[in-house]
């Protein structure tokens, strides 16, 4: 049965050998609230892309990052506000996605449902 001392030792060894695994959830880089426009939304996949207002490229957005009740999706061509998170590999994604002013964004129009 592992003791607290053994668990602490294993944590320290694991942290030194595999820092990218231990630190995966601690690599957020909040760049402040950004604005942009949804340029693509793949409803069947649950993700899309936002064009930044500062013309610094597109940012990936996953449906779990949308601040919306119920089924989360984004209508294309709508303006949104978001924060940016950078993972341990340097990839950026949008988080805390809202409509301008913090409201719920318009969902993707599902004509086939």
């Amino acid at each position: 049965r592992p003791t607290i001392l053994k668990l602490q030792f294993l944590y320290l060894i694991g942290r030194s050998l595999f820092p990218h695994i231990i630190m995966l959830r601690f690599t957020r880089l909040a760049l402040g609230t950004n604005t942009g426009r949804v340029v693509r939304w793949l409803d069947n996949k649950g993700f899309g892309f936002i064009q930044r207002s500062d013309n610094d490229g597109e940012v990936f957005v996953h449906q779990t990052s949308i601040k919306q009740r119920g089924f989360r999706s984004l209508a294309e061509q709508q303006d949104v506000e978001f924060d940016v998170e950078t993972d341990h590999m340097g990839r950026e994604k949008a988080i805390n996605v809202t409509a301008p002013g913090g409201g719920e964004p318009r969902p993707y129009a599902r004509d086939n449902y």
Side-chain angles (χ1 to χ4, degrees), residues 14 17 33 40 52 54 57 67 72-73 87 94 108-110:
L17 294 176
T33 300
R40 280 182 301 205
R52 295 182 186 204
D54 59 8
K67 299 294 182 182
R72 296 179 296 260
S73 64
D87 67 11
Y108 181 81
R110 291 181 197 87

Side-chain angles (χ1 to χ4, degrees), residues 51-71:
Q51 174 66 46
R52 295 182 186 204
S53 295
D54 59 8
N55 292 324
D56 197 20
E58 293 181 0
V59 181
F60 173 83
V61 58
H62 190 262
Q63 59 91 10
T64 57
S65 298
I66 302 169
K67 299 294 182 182
Q68 192 175 62
R69 293 176 299 203
F71 190 83

Side-chain angles (χ1 to χ4, degrees), residues 83-109:
D83 295 321
V84 174
E85 177 180 73
T86 304
D87 67 11
H88 69 286
M89 295 180 65
R91 297 177 297 195
E92 293 183 337
K93 69 176 183 175
I95 59 172
N96 303 323
V97 180
T98 66
E104 284 192 8
R106 286 190 333 268
Y108 181 81

Side-chain angles (χ1 to χ4, degrees), residues 36-41 49 74-80 106:
R37 177 166 285 186
V38 179
V39 289
R40 280 182 301 205
W41 182 258
F49 296 90
L74 292 172
E76 294 179 351
Q77 301 305 314
Q78 74 171 309
D79 293 328
V80 291
R106 286 190 333 268

